[in-house]
């Protein structure tokens, strides 16, 4: 069961899509209602609401995707560090291993 926005954006499987649409709808409500309360112009307030939806949705989309990319990079670095730890543990290349005097003079 998936929900496709505009026929092509699968909100359920695309990361950050659901949150972006939800924050966009809240932003639309806030901007549209705020403009209506300030000016009492219905049509213009609807235009502002659509603009608020687009700006809020795109703003949160880029923010969320940037954080997701950073998270994946940190995850990849951690995974590689764990692999290196397992690979070099106990060998002469282990940075945590204490070197004795004879090992220092050999290198």
């Amino acid at each position: 069961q998936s929900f496709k926005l505009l026929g092509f954006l699968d909100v359920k499987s695309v990361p950050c899509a659901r949150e972006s649409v939800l924050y966009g709808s809240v932003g639309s409500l806030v901007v549209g209602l705020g403009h209506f309360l300030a000016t009492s112009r219905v049509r213009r307030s609807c235009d502002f609401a659509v603009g608020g939806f687009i700006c809020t949705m795109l703003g949160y989309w880029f923010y969320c995707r940037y954080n997701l990319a950073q998270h994946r990079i940190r995850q990849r670095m951690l995974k590689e560090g764990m692999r290196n730890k397992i690979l070099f543990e106990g060998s002469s290349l282990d940075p945590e291993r204490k070197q004795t005097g004879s090992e220092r003079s050999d290198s």
Side-chain angles (χ1 to χ4, degrees):
Q1 191 84 333
S2 66
F3 174 71
K4 293 194 176 202
L5 185 66
L6 300 174
F8 65 90
L9 180 62
D10 191 7
V11 176
K12 188 174 180 182
S13 65
V14 176
C16 300
R18 179 180 179 268
E19 292 86 4
S20 296
V21 171
L22 290 175
Y23 279 116
S25 61
V26 170
S28 168
L29 181 69
V30 169
V31 170
L33 189 61
H35 189 270
F36 176 74
L37 291 175
T39 63
S40 297
R41 296 173 66 190
V42 176
R43 184 175 173 91
R44 186 81 172 170
S45 297
C46 290
D47 293 342
F48 269 78
V50 170
F53 174 78
I54 292 170
C55 290
T56 308
M57 187 181 79
L58 288 177
Y60 188 77
W61 171 269
F62 289 121
Y63 169 76
C64 183
R65 294 298 287 203
Y66 177 75
N67 284 339
L68 184 65
Q70 278 188 331
H71 178 71
R72 286 181 178 167
I73 289 170
R74 276 187 257 121
Q75 204 172 24
R76 193 177 318 126
M77 287 172 58
L78 183 64
K79 192 179 199 181
E80 188 173 328
M82 289 173 59
R83 187 180 313 123
N84 287 341
K85 172 74 174 166
I86 292 170
L87 185 65
F88 296 129
E89 190 172 29
S91 71
S92 61
L93 298 173
D94 189 4
E96 293 181 4
R97 185 174 168 200
K98 301 282 184 191
Q99 292 184 348
T100 61
S102 63
E103 289 177 346
R104 285 189 198 130
S105 62
D106 291 342
S107 55

